[in-house]
Amino acid sequence: MDRSPSMNVLLPYLVGLASQIPMLFLYFRGIWAKPHYQFFPIALVTLIAFAYLRWPREEFNFRRSWLGSLLLVIAAVFGLAAMVYVEPWFAAACSVALAASLFSMVTDKETGRTLLSISLLGLICLTPPFNLDSYLITALQQISARITSSMLDLVGYPHFMPGTIILAPGTEGFGIEEACSGVQSFFTLLFVATFFIVLFRRPWFRATLLLLSVFFWAIFMNTLRIFTIPLAAYFLDWDLAHGLAHALLGYGTLALGILMVYSTDQFLFFLCGPTEKFGDDGGQGFVSAITRFWNFVISGEQNNNERKKHVSRSISKATVMTAWVVSGALALLGIISVIDVFRSLYQPDIKIKFFDTNVEVPLAKADLDETAMEGWQLVDYINETRNRGSDLGRISNTWTFMTPSEVKDERGEVIGRFVSIFSFDQPFPGWHELSTCYKNQGWEIVVRRTRMEKMEGSDKEWPYVTVLMKNSVGQHAFLVFSMFDSFGEPFIAPGNWNVVGWLIQGSANRMRNRIRGSLFRGEAYQEQLFVAQYREISPAMEDIITKKFLTAREHIRKKFLERRQSDELSVPEEPTSAADTKTN
């Protein structure tokens, strides 16, 4: 049976998209654990709805588009990378490129432009590479904190703000939880702005301005929220930092941000709307040229008197053939990905953990005693449980140790006593850059290094990060941390790790078929050892702290695996006290 010309193009795209479904399922499972991407189900539903409503109902020809051809090639590259590196992100990027390529070749009968803007709803669900989203929301958080501090000074509110925490007399401080979260609502506003762009068919110039305005409104929202919490406590004795009141404040500021984005869109519509031709220069003079430029570039639409029917050439046979070749290649690569997914899923321990929504493995005080720490005296222990999805981790087990009175380095020189805080924090949706949290609490990063150490009884290397810090009150600190997944496998720490090295290592892992568990390792568990004092941290002291951390982290990893494999989880102890200088 002969296919219609449109189906001859549409079918290979549908085949290509279907080939990415297994990896897409894993990708969306992973980003669901990130609060700032939990809008993605709504974004996908709206994408499908807009595509259905605006797709031409009658028979039509796909238009020729160099951008569509380029995006098709890019999709093929991402599809190949998804198979080679067994990485769901590449499958998501492949799907977005395929959708954008398809929409760029379909004419919108309403405007004469293409349906390309619909693919933006898929693009905003794609996490930026190299953890750039975390760096972005951290930067926006720091800007909001500085603005908030200046505003509190203007109203005469006594406070001190190291990093993103508001310290005030008679309070425990505000913003502790937000120190790691950043402006999560930024991504929600980004989705709202994208929705308005697609709904109202905004041209590219006004769409770009609207998306850029989201940065301003996200800072505005977060500043308003942070500014309101201490003032409500100071003047009205209202606690807006916890519970339902805190949630309502967050939803209220988000609603206000959505309203501001809509207002910005309407203002841009008024400011950049089309203009009528004026002047009598026969359409060839300077005034007419300015009018045409304004209507074509700034406004993005011609007025009723100058609107012309869009004329475009039909898609070439070479592009159709390329689409079939790419879809066939993606289908073959998709079969390999399906095999990878099921082979990983049907490992017994993975099969159990994949469908287990409770990924927490709480430990107890006895899991890290003075014997494990080789003589360091345990002086305090706290178990803290937070709300599910907290940016600090749902559970933190924290042990505070005091060193012996005469700690000596390898040369026998006395270093002196110091307090160290070891914490086991869980779970996190992938790598959690702990140094950023300390930076947001007022610490200045002096040196950050990524180092390697072989796991006990194995040739596998387990990276750990060391960070030297100082703050404005004269303290110096040394932090060591690393992470492992729910199978006890180490997480590769970013930093000192270039793209070329990652690509080479990733392809080597594929050649060795080392994909067991790599597709289902979404949850991460963090270990850290933190020391702060009012004198500089010497290299000898760094070595002592690092060696103790490496001993403790392996001990805790083994306890974690023992507790996970047994079905008897210890009941966490009630909190007893909190360490003022430690963060999660």
Side-chain angles (χ1 to χ4, degrees), residues 349 353 361 486-487 560-567:
D349 53 348
K353 293 298 291 181
V361 184
S486 55
F487 308 102
F560 170 88
L561 291 175
E562 291 174 4
R563 197 65 55 86
R564 185 180 75 85
Q565 291 168 358
S566 69
D567 293 325

Side-chain angles (χ1 to χ4, degrees), residues 4-309:
S4 65
S6 60
M7 282 303 299
N8 202 36
V9 179
L10 180 60
L11 188 58
Y13 278 94
L14 294 179
V15 171
L17 289 170
S19 68
Q20 305 304 309
I21 289 178
M23 283 290 189
L24 279 178
F25 174 70
L26 297 179
Y27 172 77
F28 288 120
R29 175 183 180 267
I31 67 171
W32 178 251
K34 298 183 177 183
H36 50 284
Y37 282 109
Q38 290 182 354
F39 63 83
F40 80 80
I42 303 175
L44 295 180
V45 169
T46 53
L47 185 153
I48 295 172
F50 279 121
Y52 174 77
L53 294 173
R54 295 183 182 177
W55 195 267
R57 293 294 183 266
E58 67 279 2
E59 184 60 37
F60 72 98
N61 290 324
F62 284 89
R63 60 192 288 177
R64 186 172 299 184
S65 170
W66 66 266
L67 178 60
S69 300
L70 176 62
L71 289 171
L72 186 61
V73 174
I74 292 174
V77 173
F78 280 131
L80 176 62
M83 186 279 295
V84 171
Y85 300 106
V86 200
E87 176 56 57
W89 185 90
F90 285 121
C94 173
S95 301
V96 171
L98 279 174
S101 175
L102 179 63
F103 290 137
S104 68
M105 296 186 293
V106 181
T107 301
D108 187 348
K109 299 299 183 182
E110 182 74 20
T111 63
R113 297 190 292 267
T114 68
L115 298 180
L116 180 62
S117 63
I118 297 179
S119 61
L120 291 176
L121 292 166
L123 183 61
I124 61 172
C125 298
L126 188 64
T127 59
F130 311 117
N131 207 31
L132 292 179
D133 52 344
S134 297
Y135 291 115
L136 173 61
I137 58 180
T138 298
L140 295 177
Q141 176 73 18
Q142 293 170 347
I143 294 173
S144 299
R146 289 195 292 268
I147 297 174
T148 302
S149 182
S150 299
M151 293 175 61
L152 291 174
D153 288 336
L154 289 176
V155 299
Y157 180 79
H159 73 285
F160 172 62
M161 181 174 280
T164 59
I165 302 174
I166 301 173
L167 301 178
T171 69
E172 61 180 8
F174 304 99
I176 302 297
E177 179 91 2
E178 290 80 2
C180 294
S181 65
V183 188
Q184 294 180 350
S185 54
F186 167 79
F187 291 90
T188 303
L189 290 186
L190 195 64
F191 161 66
V192 171
T194 305
F195 175 79
F196 288 150
I197 290 170
V198 178
L199 177 64
F200 300 127
R201 294 179 167 92
R202 299 308 187 208
W204 69 268
F205 183 80
R206 299 209 307 255
T208 302
L209 293 180
L210 184 62
L211 292 175
L212 291 177
S213 73
V214 171
F215 289 89
F216 173 81
W217 293 122
I219 294 173
F220 170 80
M221 286 170 50
N222 206 50
T223 300
L224 179 63
R225 180 177 58 82
I226 300 174
F227 181 70
T228 302
I229 291 174
L231 290 188
Y234 186 74
F235 292 107
L236 303 175
D237 198 26
W238 290 354
D239 181 12
L240 300 182
H242 305 89
L244 179 62
H246 183 71
L248 292 176
L249 177 63
Y251 288 128
T253 54
L254 178 59
L256 180 61
I258 294 174
L259 179 62
M260 293 298 100
V261 171
Y262 177 75
S263 298
T264 303
D265 173 74
Q266 295 302 301
F267 175 71
L268 292 174
F269 177 73
F270 164 77
L271 185 66
C272 302
T275 180
E276 298 289 340
K277 183 179 69 173
F278 60 91
D280 187 14
D281 53 14
Q284 301 298 322
F286 176 76
V287 174
S288 294
I290 292 296
T291 302
R292 288 194 301 270
F293 172 81
W294 179 273
N295 288 338
F296 184 74
V297 177
I298 305 300
S299 171
E301 55 186 275
Q302 296 173 324
N303 57 40
N304 292 331
N305 294 330
E306 295 182 339
R307 187 180 300 275
K308 298 180 181 179
K309 183 178 180 180

Side-chain angles (χ1 to χ4, degrees), residues 10 25 95 177 237 369 386 395-396 400 421 489 513 534 539 557 575:
L10 180 60
F25 174 70
S95 301
E177 179 91 2
D237 198 26
D369 54 18
R386 308 180 184 89
I395 298 174
S396 289
T400 302
I421 303 171
E489 296 294 320
N513 291 321
Y534 282 96
R557 187 183 74 91

